[in-house]
Amino acid sequence: MNEDRAVQDEKLQMTADTRPLNGEEPEQEPERSLSALDNRQEKLNCLHGFLSLRRLFYLIGYSVGQYPQAFLVVALLISINSLGMYKMVLKDRIRDGYTPTNAPSRYETDVLREFYNISGDPAMTIMILMPKNGTSMHEKANLDEAEKISKFFLNEFNATRDGRLLRFANLCEPYCQINKVFELYKNAFDEQYKLYTSEKRISKSTNLSYPLATMNGFDIHLERSFFGVILNENSKIKKENNNNSTELAITNSLPPHRAITNMKHVEVIVFIFRGDRDSVEKEKDLSKWELDAYEWSLNEHTSDIVEVQIVGTDVLDNEMMKDGRRLTPFFAAGFGFEITFVSVCVILTAVYHNCLDRGKLLISLGAVLCPILAITSTYGIVSVLGMRVNSFMLVMPFLVMGIGVDSCFLMIHSWQKERRAQKTGTGNRLGMVYESVGPSITITSLTDFLSFAIGALAPTPETRLFCIASSIALALTYILQLVLFGPILAIATKYEHKETSTNDSYWRKRLKTCWKKCINFYCKILSNKFFAVTVMLGTVCYWYFAIYGLMTMKTRLDAVKILPKDSPLQRPNLVLTNLVWANYHPVTIIVNSPVDLENRPQMSRFWDMVNDFERMHNCKGTESTLLWLRDYIKYFYYGEPFDLFAFLGFSTPEVHPEINPYEANITTKKIPEFLKSPFFKHWESFIHYHYEEGVIKLDRFMMNVAYDNTSSWDTRIELMTDWRKVAANFSDLNVTVWEPNGMFVDQMLSLEKTATQTGIWTLVCMAVVCAIFIPNPCSIITATVSIASITTGVMGFLSLWSFDLDPVVMAAVLMSIGLSVDFIAHVAYHFQLAHRKEIRNGRVKKIPLKGSTERLEHTLGAVAWPMIQAGVSTICCILPLLFRASYSPSVFVAAIFLVVTFGMLHGLLILPTFLAALPESITTANCYRVFLSSSSERSCRYVPRRDSANSIELQKMEKKDFLLSS
C-alpha cells in the first residue's frame, strides 16, 4: 500500500503548480530543474514497474496471448532436438560408474594399468562350474567335463563382431595361462587316479592336498580354482621315517576322488578368462566375446552333469540395460494414467465453471505434451553431445512426467479463474495468468533444475549423467510450459463460449459456497493456537522418527540390489559372495620403487611389510600368498625343483630346509633363468626389470595375499582401509594396493559425505532462489526449513523401510529436494502477498488482504486444489512401477510416494499452521518494499513526501521566499 500512495504523491508532484514565481527570468531556472527532476523520477518509477518480476511475467503472458503461433514455432524448434535419439547409446558402467572420480581406487587402478602397460582395465570374465547331479566337482567325470569346457572356451568357441570370428586364444595375452593351475592339477589327478584304480597305490612325489598341492616339489595353489571345499575327516598326512616323503593316507573304502585327495566335496570350480583392453577395438572384441559366451551358457550349453554360469562387467552392464528397456511398457501405462487423470480434472473443472468445450481436450493434451517433448529432446541432446544413456536415465521420464504436469495444473486453475478478463482480450487474460503463477512456477522449476544441476557436480559418473539429463529435461519442461502450453491455452480460448452463466446454476453456487466454507473453516482451525501446538508436537514426533531413520541408515552397494530380482545373474552373484569370496579374497600389492635384493635394510623393510599383510585379520596365511621372491630364493639356492628320478619313481624327492628370507644372500643375476623355467615362467607377469651396465635392476613387482571370510561388505571395507594403512606405513617402497572390489568400497566410503555435501549445497541454492523470488524473510526461512524437513523425512523413512544409502538413494535425495519445493514454494509465495487482484467492471482492482486467516484463505484457495491434483498425478505416473520388481524403480517409487505425502502434509498443514501462528508484522515484512519502494527512506528510489521537511513543494516555497527577499 505504501507503493500506491507513493505513486499518487509522485503524480501530484508532477501536476503541481509550475508557473514562474515572478516575472524575472532568473526565477524560471529553478522551476525547470525541479520539474525535470520530477520527470526523470517518474520515468525511472515507470521503468521499474515494467522491470518488476510480476510485470515481466505479465508482459511475457501478454505476448504469448497475442502471438501464440510465433511461440509454437519456438516450441517446435526445441522439440526438433528429439531427432538426436537416433544416436542414443544405452550403456551402464557398474564397476566404476558409481565410484567418485577422486577415489583412491581410481589411482590404484591407474597404477595397475601402468604396471601392465595397458590403457583400460583388464577384462575379466568369470566362469563358474557347478555339478548338476549333487555330486562333487572333483569327481573324475566332472573334472573331465570342466577340462573340456575350459579348452572349448579358450580355443574353439567363436564369437562374432562385424563379420569377424573372435577366439579368446587370440585375445588373452599375456594371461592365456591364467588357468594353468587347474591344468596341472588335472594332469596330476589323472595320473594318480590311474595308479589308484589299477594298482591301488599313488605316487609319493605328488600330493593333491587342498589348499596347497605339491607335484615333484612344485607347489600348486588350489584355492584359486576350487571353492566350497569340505575336507575328509581322516585327511591326515603320514610321514615315512626313512625318507621324510609325504603321502596321503589311503582308505580303500573311499571313492577314488576322495582317496587320492584330502577333499570330500568341492562345490565350485572357477575359471578366469582375462585380457587387456589396450585399444578401443580390442575392448569391443572382449566385450562381444563375453556377451556371446554368456548367451551360449544360457541357451546352448547342454551338459547333463555340469552347470556353467558366466559373470563379467559387460554382462552385468547388459543385464542392467535390459532391465531399463523393460520399463517402456510401464512408462506407457504411466503416461496413460496421467493423461486420463489430467483430462478428467480439466473436464470436471470446465463443467464446474460451465465452460466445457473442445478446447479443454486440447489443454489436457498440452499439459502432458510438455514433459514428453522435454524428455525426448533431452535424450536427443545428450546423444548428440556424445553422452551415453545409463539405466538411471531410463527412470528419468517418470520423474519429469510427475514434476512437469504440476505447474500446468496451476496455470489451468488460474486460467479458469481469469475468464472474466477475456473481455479485455486473450493477451491480457494470459498476462494475468502468467503474472499470478509465473513467479511461483519459476521458483519450483528453477529449484528443481538447480537440485539436479548441483547433483551433476557429484564425483560419481553414473549419478552425474542422471543429474545432467534430469536438469536439462526440467529446464526444457519449464520453457515448454511457457512457449507451448501458454499458446495452447490461447488457442483453446477460441473454442470457449462467448456467453456463459456461471452463477445461474444452483448446484454450482452450492458447490462454490461449500468449497469457500470448507476453506474458511479449515483456515480458522489452522489459526487456532491450540491446534497449532498440536501440529507442532506432531511435527516433533515426525522429526524424531525421520532423524532416527537417517542416523541408522547403512551405506551398502552390491549387485544383489542393483540386479533385477529375476535376473539370471542373481545365482552366480550369490555363489561369488557366499563361496568364492568367503574362501579366497586376494589383494594385489605393487611395489613401485626399485628394490635392491642385496640391500639388507631395504629387504628387511620389505619383509616387514609382507609380514604386516600376512598377520592381518582374515589372512589365509603364508602358504596362500603369491610372492615370486620366495620361489626365487629356493631357486637361487637349490635350482630347479624337478627331480627326474623321483618323477620316474626311482627315488623320493629331496626335501630342502627352509631359508629365512631376512638372511637370504641373493642377487638378481638368476632372474632370467628363473623366469624361463617351466615351473616358474608364470611369475614373468609379476616382475619388471631392466639391464643397466650388464646388471639386472628391478623396476617394480607385485604380489598377492589371500584372505577369507570376506562375504560381508563391512569386512571388505575394514580390510581395504587396513591395507591402505599398511601401504602408507611403507611409503619408502611406494606401495600400492589394488583389489577388484576397491571401487565399490570407495563408493560406500564416500557416499555419506557426498550425499551430505550435495544435499546441503542444494538446500542452500533452494534458499537463495526463494530469496530472489519471495521478498519476505520469514517465508524464505520457513520454506527452507520445510524443504529440509521433507528431505530428512524421505531419507529417514527410506532407511526405516530397509533401503540403504547408495547412488540410487542419493539421486532420490536430490529428487526429493527438488520435488518438495513444488509443495512449499507456492504456499510461501502466496502467503506473503499483501493484496489480491480481481476484475470489477472490466478493470483490475487490488484488494488488500487483512489478517492471517484471510491470507490463508487466499493462499489455499489459489494452491490447495492444484497441489492435490499435482500430487495425485505424480502418483498416477509412477504407479505402474510398483509392478516392476527392480531396485532402481522401487527406490524412486518409494521416494516419490514419501515426497508427495510429506510435501502435501507440509504444504497444506504444517507450513500454513506455522505461518498463521507467527505475528503478522513478521509474515508481511517485505524487503523489496523497504529497499526498492519510492516511499521508503531506506530505498535507493526514495522520493520525499509532500509533507516532509525536505519535500519538493517546500523546496519550491523556500526558493520563492529567498528570491523575494533578495
Side-chain angles (χ1 to χ4, degrees):
M1 300 306 296
N2 291 336
E3 289 185 12
D4 297 338
R5 187 172 59 187
V7 171
Q8 293 174 3
D9 291 347
E10 290 166 4
K11 291 182 178 180
L12 289 173
Q13 292 166 7
M14 295 304 300
T15 58
D17 184 15
T18 57
R19 290 175 297 178
L21 297 178
N22 55 34
E24 299 179 6
E25 184 66 22
E27 296 176 6
Q28 297 177 0
E29 291 302 323
E31 295 286 336
R32 293 196 189 102
S33 300
L34 292 172
S35 179
L37 177 64
D38 292 346
N39 287 330
R40 285 196 299 270
Q41 187 64 57
E42 183 180 23
K43 291 178 181 179
L44 288 174
N45 292 340
C46 182
L47 179 61
H48 177 267
F50 275 95
L51 294 180
S52 65
L53 185 64
R54 292 169 64 86
R55 185 66 177 175
L56 177 63
F57 277 105
Y58 174 84
L59 293 175
I60 295 174
Y62 182 84
S63 302
V64 172
Q66 290 294 106
Y67 311 102
Q69 292 81 5
F71 286 90
L72 287 176
V73 171
V74 175
L76 178 62
L77 294 175
I78 294 174
S79 303
I80 289 176
N81 290 303
S82 303
L83 299 177
M85 292 179 64
Y86 287 106
K87 292 187 176 182
M88 189 164 62
V89 177
L90 301 175
K91 185 174 178 58
D92 257 329
R93 293 186 64 91
I94 298 297
R95 181 175 177 270
D96 62 346
Y98 300 98
T99 304
T101 52
N102 56 352
S105 56
R106 291 192 178 272
Y107 166 77
E108 294 159 0
T109 302
D110 289 340
V111 172
L112 184 74
R113 291 171 181 167
E114 183 181 354
F115 185 88
Y116 285 118
N117 193 26
I118 57 177
S119 57
D121 296 337
M124 188 164 63
T125 303
I126 301 174
M127 178 182 292
I128 300 173
L129 305 182
M130 301 179 67
K132 284 186 176 181
N133 48 15
T135 58
S136 174
M137 273 306 299
H138 78 309
E139 291 187 17
K140 182 71 165 62
N142 293 339
L143 285 176
D144 290 342
E145 185 70 13
E147 182 183 34
K148 176 183 174 183
I149 293 173
S150 175
K151 291 181 178 179
F152 169 75
F153 272 96
L154 181 63
N155 301 309
E156 300 177 23
F157 175 75
N158 293 322
T160 57
R161 175 176 170 262
D162 297 335
R164 296 183 296 111
L165 294 180
L166 304 175
R167 286 192 178 179
F168 199 78
N170 302 324
L171 303 172
C172 59
E173 289 295 340
Y175 311 106
C176 295
Q177 301 298 320
I178 196 170
N179 296 312
K180 189 70 174 179
V181 168
F182 175 81
E183 181 183 339
L184 295 174
Y185 174 84
K186 181 62 169 58
N187 293 336
F189 181 90
D190 288 343
E191 294 176 6
Q192 294 288 67
Y193 187 88
K194 182 178 179 181
L195 286 174
Y196 181 80
T197 54
S198 60
E199 305 178 20
K200 297 297 180 182
R201 69 180 183 87
I202 60 174
S203 173
K204 298 178 181 179
S205 62
T206 300
N207 184 352
L208 299 181
S209 296
Y210 179 89
L212 191 65
T214 305
M215 293 190 312
N216 301 313
F218 179 68
D219 294 336
I220 303 176
H221 293 266
L222 300 181
E223 56 196 350
R224 289 184 290 168
S225 299
F226 294 79
F227 300 93
V229 176
I230 301 176
L231 300 180
N232 292 325
E233 290 81 0
N234 58 345
S235 59
K236 294 182 180 179
I237 298 175
K238 66 179 183 180
K239 292 186 178 182
E240 297 183 4
N241 295 327
N242 56 350
N243 54 19
N244 290 326
S245 64
T246 62
E247 61 175 321
L248 287 171
I250 300 176
T251 305
N252 292 329
S253 60
L254 295 178
H257 65 277
R258 291 181 58 185
I260 62 179
T261 70
N262 68 336
M263 294 178 284
K264 178 181 179 180
H265 182 80
V266 177
E267 185 66 26
V268 172
I269 290 179
V270 172
F271 292 136
I272 304 295
F273 295 89
R274 185 169 176 175
D276 281 341
R277 299 187 179 106
D278 48 12
S279 68
V280 176
E281 286 300 310
K282 190 173 181 181
E283 180 178 2
K284 293 180 179 179
D285 289 345
L286 289 168
S287 176
K288 189 63 169 60
W289 185 91
E290 181 178 290
L291 293 175
D292 286 358
Y294 173 70
E295 293 297 327
W296 180 91
S297 68
L298 292 179
N299 304 319
E300 300 183 31
H301 177 57
T302 57
S303 175
D304 296 329
I305 59 175
V306 173
E307 177 184 0
V308 178
Q309 297 174 350
I310 293 180
V311 183
T313 54
D314 290 294
V315 172
L316 189 60
D317 293 343
N318 186 61
E319 282 296 304
M320 290 295 298
M321 295 314 303
K322 280 184 179 179
D323 183 58
R325 286 190 287 267
R326 294 189 190 106
L327 294 176
T328 303
F330 296 92
F331 175 73
F335 168 72
F337 287 155
E338 181 139 354
I339 193 172
T340 301
F341 179 79
V342 173
S343 300
V344 170
C345 290
V346 172
I347 291 173
L348 290 179
T349 304
V351 170
Y352 170 74
H353 289 284
N354 194 21
C355 57
L356 183 61
D357 51 62
R358 289 179 297 174
K360 300 304 181 288
L361 294 177
L362 182 62
I363 292 174
S364 302
L365 180 62
V368 182
L369 188 61
C370 290
I372 288 179
L373 290 178
I375 292 166
T376 56
S377 298
T378 298
Y379 282 139
I381 290 172
V382 298
S383 300
V384 170
L385 293 177
M387 295 189 297
R388 55 189 172 83
V389 175
N390 60 17
S391 56
F392 258 17
M393 294 164 66
L394 297 179
V395 182
M396 181 262 293
F398 297 92
L399 172 65
V400 176
M401 284 292 294
I403 296 177
V405 180
D406 297 359
S407 299
C408 293
F409 278 120
L410 279 172
M411 295 178 70
I412 294 171
H413 185 71
S414 179
W415 175 258
Q416 298 284 19
K417 287 176 61 178
E418 304 296 346
R419 289 190 68 244
R420 295 179 180 176
Q422 187 62 37
K423 296 179 181 179
T424 60
T426 303
N428 185 56
R429 180 182 177 185
L430 203 59
M432 294 183 65
V433 171
Y434 276 46
E435 182 182 7
S436 175
V437 301
S440 58
I441 288 177
T442 303
I443 293 174
T444 57
S445 300
L446 186 57
T447 50
D448 288 338
F449 168 79
L450 284 177
S451 65
F452 287 102
I454 293 174
L457 302 177
T460 52
E462 299 301 297
T463 304
R464 185 188 305 149
L465 285 174
F466 169 74
C467 290
I468 289 174
S470 298
S471 60
I472 293 175
L474 292 172
L476 291 178
T477 301
Y478 172 69
I479 295 172
L480 288 172
Q481 284 167 351
L482 298 180
V483 302
L484 176 60
F485 188 63
I488 289 177
L489 289 176
I491 293 173
T493 305
K494 299 178 180 179
Y495 298 96
E496 290 185 341
H497 304 301
K498 300 301 181 182
E499 298 292 335
T500 58
S501 54
T502 315
N503 298 323
D504 292 341
S505 175
Y506 173 76
W507 70 269
R508 289 189 180 92
K509 293 172 65 176
R510 287 294 304 271
L511 185 60
K512 185 176 182 179
T513 303
C514 182
W515 172 254
K516 286 187 175 181
K517 287 183 178 180
C518 289
I519 291 290
N520 181 266
F521 178 72
Y522 183 64
C523 291
K524 288 181 179 179
I525 293 177
L526 296 182
S527 302
N528 183 274
K529 301 299 182 183
F530 177 78
F531 183 79
V533 172
T534 305
V535 171
M536 291 301 107
L537 291 177
T539 304
V540 171
C541 294
Y542 157 79
W543 285 343
Y544 169 78
F545 288 104
I547 295 174
Y548 172 78
L550 185 62
M551 299 299 293
T552 57
M553 176 173 273
K554 297 180 180 179
T555 303
R556 190 170 70 92
L557 175 67
D558 54 34
V560 175
K561 296 194 306 181
I562 294 177
L563 285 171
K565 293 183 179 180
D566 56 352
S567 172
L569 292 181
Q570 285 287 5
R571 185 160 183 249
N573 179 69
L574 290 175
V575 172
L576 288 174
T577 303
N578 299 327
L579 288 178
V580 177
W581 292 337
N583 287 272
Y584 188 77
H585 189 72
V587 58
T588 299
I589 304 164
I590 302 175
V591 180
N592 297 290
S593 292
V595 175
D596 185 358
L597 300 184
E598 300 179 50
N599 187 334
R600 283 294 185 86
Q602 188 181 32
M603 292 306 299
S604 295
R605 286 282 294 167
F606 170 76
W607 290 112
D608 288 342
M609 180 200 69
V610 173
N611 291 335
D612 284 354
F613 278 105
E614 292 180 339
R615 285 197 296 260
M616 204 174 292
H617 59 93
N618 296 87
C619 183
K620 292 178 68 69
T622 303
E623 65 277 2
S624 298
T625 300
L626 297 179
L627 178 56
W628 68 275
L629 200 52
R630 285 184 173 136
D631 280 350
Y632 181 69
I633 291 174
K634 294 179 182 179
Y635 179 86
F636 191 89
Y637 277 89
Y638 306 121
E640 297 279 1
F642 180 72
D643 188 342
L644 179 62
F645 292 100
F647 178 74
L648 296 175
F650 297 123
S651 66
T652 57
E654 182 180 0
V655 178
H656 300 291
E658 290 290 333
I659 300 174
N660 187 344
Y662 285 90
E663 300 175 358
N665 294 316
I666 58 175
T667 64
T668 58
K669 66 179 181 179
K670 292 186 178 182
I671 286 181
E673 302 171 10
F674 171 74
L675 296 178
K676 290 179 182 178
S677 169
F679 297 97
F680 304 115
K681 62 184 301 183
H682 60 280
W683 292 121
E684 187 173 5
S685 60
F686 284 68
I687 309 171
H688 287 185
Y689 66 90
H690 72 281
Y691 286 92
E692 185 177 312
E693 297 179 358
V695 179
I696 296 176
K697 298 290 185 179
L698 287 175
D699 296 322
R700 62 182 67 180
F701 59 87
M702 72 177 185
M703 56 181 282
N704 287 339
V705 180
Y707 299 80
D708 58 7
N709 297 322
T710 60
S711 298
S712 167
W713 275 108
D714 293 336
T715 303
R716 294 180 217 168
I717 292 174
E718 184 180 359
L719 277 173
M720 194 77 218
T721 304
D722 292 342
W723 293 336
R724 287 169 175 167
K725 287 180 180 178
V726 173
N729 291 337
F730 292 90
S731 57
D732 53 314
L733 298 176
N734 193 8
V735 178
T736 302
V737 293
W738 180 86
E739 196 267 324
N741 293 312
M743 289 198 175
F744 291 102
V745 170
D746 282 339
Q747 290 173 26
M748 287 177 272
L749 289 175
S750 63
L751 269 175
E752 185 175 345
K753 179 181 178 181
T754 303
T756 302
Q757 290 179 344
T758 305
I760 291 175
W761 278 110
T762 305
L763 193 63
V764 170
C765 288
M766 302 303 101
V768 172
V769 172
C770 290
I772 295 173
F773 291 93
I774 302 176
N776 178 253
C778 178
S779 296
I780 297 170
I781 295 172
T782 53
T784 304
V785 173
S786 297
I787 295 170
S789 175
I790 296 172
T791 306
T792 304
V794 171
M795 289 292 294
F797 279 82
L798 282 177
S799 175
L800 296 177
W801 288 356
S802 301
F803 287 99
D804 301 314
L805 180 60
D806 55 35
V808 183
V809 173
M810 190 176 78
V813 175
L814 300 176
M815 178 200 66
S816 302
I817 297 175
L819 271 176
S820 61
V821 179
D822 291 6
F823 300 95
I824 299 302
H826 300 303
V827 175
Y829 175 78
H830 281 82
F831 188 83
Q832 54 85 38
L833 295 177
H835 59 266
R836 60 185 176 89
K837 289 185 177 181
E838 279 190 8
I839 297 178
R840 294 180 179 178
N841 300 323
R843 299 183 64 185
V844 179
K845 297 290 185 180
K846 288 185 177 181
I847 302 175
L849 298 171
K850 300 177 182 179
S852 59
T853 303
E854 188 173 342
R855 284 190 288 127
L856 270 182
E857 290 182 18
H858 169 69
T859 300
L860 296 181
V863 304
W865 179 237
M867 187 185 297
I868 295 172
Q869 289 176 315
V872 175
S873 69
T874 303
I875 296 297
C876 287
C877 183
I878 65 166
L879 197 60
L881 289 180
L882 291 173
F883 303 97
R884 179 65 196 150
S886 186
Y887 178 68
S888 295
S890 65
V891 171
F892 283 102
V893 168
I896 290 176
F897 175 79
L898 290 173
V899 170
V900 171
T901 302
F902 295 151
M904 294 179 67
L905 187 67
H906 282 72
L908 298 178
L909 178 64
I910 297 176
L911 182 58
T913 302
F914 188 75
L915 289 174
L918 294 175
E920 190 172 353
S921 59
I922 296 178
T923 57
T924 58
N926 191 313
C927 294
Y928 293 173
R929 295 193 197 116
V930 173
F931 297 106
L932 297 177
S933 173
S934 60
S935 61
S936 172
E937 294 185 1
R938 299 182 182 180
S939 171
C940 59
R941 298 172 54 240
Y942 172 65
V943 176
R945 295 187 52 78
R946 293 167 62 91
D947 54 352
S948 171
N950 297 321
S951 68
I952 296 176
E953 291 296 322
L954 288 179
Q955 291 178 20
K956 291 180 181 180
M957 295 175 63
E958 291 174 357
K959 185 65 177 178
K960 181 178 180 180
D961 293 341
F962 172 77
L963 292 174
L964 290 174
S965 63
S966 60

